[in-house]
Amino acid sequence: MKSAVAIKEDKKQEAARVPMAEDTSAFNKLRHEMNRMFDDFSSGFTFGRTPSFKLLEPLADFHPKVNMQDAEKEVVVTAELPGVDMKDIEVSVTDSQLTIKGEKHEEKEESKKGYYRMERSYGSFYRKLPLPCEINKENISATYKNGVLNISLPKTEKALKEEKKVAITAG
């Protein structure tokens, strides 16, 4: 038996559905029916983690935040990689791009009277960043501390000389 809240929610969802025009194609009818079936199936479900595991997010969707700054003599890249071990990170550089890839492993264990639960999540990430100028590959350095990867990519002498300031005039 449905609760009053569930019945109200069903009525809201039914009201939100857009009625189909009479002369639509068979494909549109099929799409509408599939959308309705997914809506009906998912109503009443929560697809998030239980409250005690809400911090353990799906790692397949892990996309590290990356900042690239073009400084005077170098390009500085900072990547936020919380929970990633340094040994699981790989950095490579070609003439035109920087690649950061790795894997994130996470385990969460909970044990209380009457039950035991363990969740494990694994996921990989891969970021390719175009480089704004020619880089001196021999002097690249990278450090990793507290979940933050810092990469210093010094510019070549040629790249430093090629930069030209452009004067801006009014109007």
Side-chain angles (χ1 to χ4, degrees), residues 16 18 47 73 75 132 140:
V18 177
F47 291 106
K73 294 185 178 187
V75 176
I140 296 172

Side-chain angles (χ1 to χ4, degrees), residues 9-20:
E9 187 63 33
D10 286 346
K11 287 181 182 179
K12 280 184 189 176
Q13 287 179 355
E14 192 63 39
R17 291 190 182 118
V18 177
M20 297 213 25

Side-chain angles (χ1 to χ4, degrees), residues 73-85:
K73 294 185 178 187
E74 65 182 351
V75 176
V76 179
V77 176
T78 305
E80 296 178 18
L81 305 172
V84 178
D85 287 330

Side-chain angles (χ1 to χ4, degrees), residues 56-87:
L56 189 62
E57 298 171 351
L59 296 177
D61 295 333
F62 178 64
H63 300 288
K65 294 180 182 177
V66 177
N67 182 41
M68 180 182 283
Q69 178 186 3
D70 189 353
E72 188 177 324
K73 294 185 178 187
E74 65 182 351
V75 176
V76 179
V77 176
T78 305
E80 296 178 18
L81 305 172
V84 178
D85 287 330
M86 187 171 72
K87 64 179 177 47

Side-chain angles (χ1 to χ4, degrees), residues 127-139:
R127 296 290 306 263
K128 273 192 170 186
L129 306 166
L131 295 171
C133 61
E134 195 174 295
I135 299 297
N136 181 345
K137 293 181 194 173
E138 303 303 315
N139 294 325

Side-chain angles (χ1 to χ4, degrees), residues 3-124:
S3 70
V5 174
I7 292 170
K8 250 187 204 182
E9 187 63 33
D10 286 346
K11 287 181 182 179
K12 280 184 189 176
Q13 287 179 355
E14 192 63 39
R17 291 190 182 118
V18 177
M20 297 213 25
E22 293 297 321
D23 58 345
T24 57
S25 70
F27 177 76
N28 283 337
K29 287 179 183 177
L30 175 63
R31 181 179 54 82
H32 176 74
E33 184 62 21
M34 292 296 292
N35 287 341
R36 187 192 62 75
M37 288 172 38
F38 278 111
D39 287 344
D40 290 347
F41 175 76
S42 64
S43 65
F45 289 96
T46 57
F47 291 106
R49 304 269 184 203
T50 59
S52 61
F53 284 88
K54 66 183 176 184
L55 298 176
L56 189 62
E57 298 171 351
L59 296 177
D61 295 333
F62 178 64
H63 300 288
K65 294 180 182 177
V66 177
N67 182 41
M68 180 182 283
Q69 178 186 3
D70 189 353
E72 188 177 324
K73 294 185 178 187
E74 65 182 351
V75 176
V76 179
V77 176
T78 305
E80 296 178 18
L81 305 172
V84 178
D85 287 330
M86 187 171 72
K87 64 179 177 47
D88 295 327
I89 302 169
E90 184 179 314
V91 177
S92 61
V93 178
T94 65
D95 289 335
S96 61
Q97 65 190 6
L98 169 71
T99 303
I100 304 170
K101 61 183 176 178
E103 291 190 16
K104 184 174 182 177
H105 311 279
E106 199 164 350
E107 292 185 6
K108 188 81 170 183
E109 187 174 359
E110 185 176 351
S111 180
K112 292 186 178 177
K113 186 177 180 181
Y115 76 92
Y116 171 80
R117 178 184 357 205
M118 175 176 262
E119 286 193 21
R120 293 184 178 116
S121 296
Y122 302 93
S124 60

